Structures are given as structure tokens and as C-alpha cells.
Amino acid sequence: MKREKSTYDLGDYELSVELVINDESRLHDYGIRRSAWFRGIRMMRRYGPDLALELLDERANRCYERKDIPMCYRLRDLMVAIHAMTEDEVQPNDRVH
């Protein structure tokens, strides 16, 4: 595990940023493969987040109907990645002040 800490003086405030690099940690990736995150970005750029989610939902439903469960899971993972990138939700390890 590698830690990097930077401190910035902002007048009345002091900002401290600590970066923890740990190859075994999967804190914010939701267990989704790296390639799914990049595919999600490409889809959002092409269609926008709302239309991308709608199209993926339709595709996932069609995959489920034809019993292609592995592809259905991959499409749902893309949906999770897009949703995570577009929503501002507090994570369990985030500090909120």
C-alpha cells in the first residue's frame, strides 16, 4: 500500500488530501471491470447518460428474454457504471462535513 499526502494552505483553511493506492482495494469500483467503466464513458459521450441507460436497459431485457444471462449481466454492469458516474451519492468511506 502506498500513501501520498498533500497539504494546501488556503488562508483561514488548510486542505489536506491523502491518496491511498492499494491494488487489492475495490472501494469505489462496485466490483465492475475497468473495461465496463470505459464503455460506459463512450456510451455517455455518444448518447448522453439518460438515453444510454434506456438503450442498455432495452438491450439487457432482450438478452434476458433469449436466455443470454452473461451478456445481460455485462449490460447491467454498464448501467451501474453510468449511474455511478452521473449520480452524486455518498459512499460508506466518504467523509461528509
Side-chain angles (χ1 to χ4, degrees), residues 12-93:
D12 292 340
Y13 302 98
E14 183 178 283
L15 174 66
S16 178
V17 178
E18 186 173 8
L19 176 65
V20 178
I21 300 170
N22 183 356
D23 292 337
E24 297 175 10
S25 176
R26 300 183 77 87
L27 296 176
H28 284 83
D29 68 357
Y30 299 95
I32 297 173
R33 295 174 313 201
R34 187 173 188 255
S35 60
W37 290 99
F38 287 108
R39 284 187 67 202
I41 291 169
R42 284 195 307 270
M43 289 200 71
M44 284 193 305
R45 284 183 180 159
R46 179 175 288 164
Y47 303 111
D50 293 331
L51 183 56
L53 288 170
E54 192 174 312
L55 292 172
L56 287 168
D57 188 43
E58 292 171 4
R59 291 178 189 174
N61 287 337
R62 286 194 307 264
C63 287
Y64 182 77
E65 289 170 2
R66 68 175 183 263
K67 309 265 190 276
D68 188 357
I69 304 304
M71 178 56 84
C72 181
Y73 275 119
R74 286 194 295 271
L75 293 171
R76 295 289 179 197
D77 283 348
L78 283 174
M79 293 175 68
V80 171
I82 291 172
H83 181 74
M85 287 186 271
T86 57
E87 297 298 318
D88 188 20
E89 296 179 1
V90 178
Q91 299 299 314
N93 59 342

